[in-house]
Amino acid sequence: DIVFDHVGFAYDKKKVLDGVSFTAREGEVTALVGPSGSGKSTCARLAARLWDVTEGTIRVGGVDISTVDPEALLTDYSMVFQDVVLFDDTVMENIRLGKRGATDEEVRAAAEAANCGEFICRLPQGYDTMVTSDGAHLSQGQRQLLSIARAAVADPPVLILDEATSSVDTRTEVKIQEAMHNLMKGRTNFVIAHRLSTIKDADLIAVVEHGEIIERGNHEQLMAKKGFYYNLYTNQFDQNEAV
């Protein structure tokens, strides 16, 4: 479990989070939703100790992460962000970054689990195709699928997905959703979502606004409240219908 216990965070003297408390349970999907700038991604970075809290504590498996070496902590995490970082190397080696020493067979299995084996095989040299750091000749969706394969080969107990589908078309989103569903099984999953349709099945949805959690529950519970989440969801649905 990842436990946020009255967590606060300030950046450059500006308070970003204030008294945030929730538990992302092992084997479940916990989603944070809310307007841009509300503090959702800050929670993800604090959970991985990319930044340190300024108030309260975060515990992973009962251990206060401020007492854990950040590099040691990251061995238990895989993170998939909206902005994918690739390197000037082959597709195979870009995926293998998730687990140094992974065999070719492990990399291929991770790619299949991430729903990207098919498009990789269509590349000029397949897994030996060179890619560049700017991801030229790959679509945003393909780059995102490679980052999911990188997370899959690491086989981590904790998975953090931060706006992983916000920059792709609907058809690609379906493939990414299937890949993420495969990857989430049996892990502690921490999801930051822009498109609310992608987290309808989450075990816990926490709504963040101005650095505070203002609502929590599953999709059905929050829709029944007809509060902030209900308005967010119905507004997105109406916009999608209009498109």
Side-chain angles (χ1 to χ4, degrees), residues 89-140:
D89 210 329
T90 63
V91 169
M92 178 76 76
E93 293 307 315
N94 266 277
I95 296 174
R96 205 190 316 265
L97 281 170
K99 179 185 175 183
R100 295 293 190 181
T103 65
D104 289 358
E105 290 72 20
E106 287 176 321
V107 170
R108 292 174 187 274
E112 291 299 326
N115 244 353
C116 58
E118 182 180 345
F119 95 76
I120 292 173
C121 290
R122 292 200 303 267
L123 295 174
Q125 281 82 44
Y127 285 85
D128 294 324
T129 301
M130 292 294 297
V131 297
T132 57
S133 57
D134 61 2
H137 310 304
L138 294 177
S139 70
Q140 175 64 29

Side-chain angles (χ1 to χ4, degrees), residues 12-72:
D12 198 20
K13 297 184 179 179
K14 178 183 177 182
K15 190 158 242 184
V16 180
L17 295 179
D18 187 14
V20 170
S21 295
F22 66 89
T23 299
R25 300 196 180 280
E26 181 179 1
E28 294 187 353
V29 177
T30 299
L32 299 185
V33 304
S36 297
S38 60
K40 307 184 301 295
S41 292
T42 299
C43 289
R45 283 156 176 75
L46 291 173
R49 209 185 167 196
L50 300 180
W51 301 334
D52 279 326
V53 302
T54 51
E55 297 174 3
T57 58
I58 298 175
R59 297 186 298 276
V60 177
V63 178
D64 183 344
I65 64 171
S66 68
T67 66
V68 180
D69 178 74
E71 289 190 17

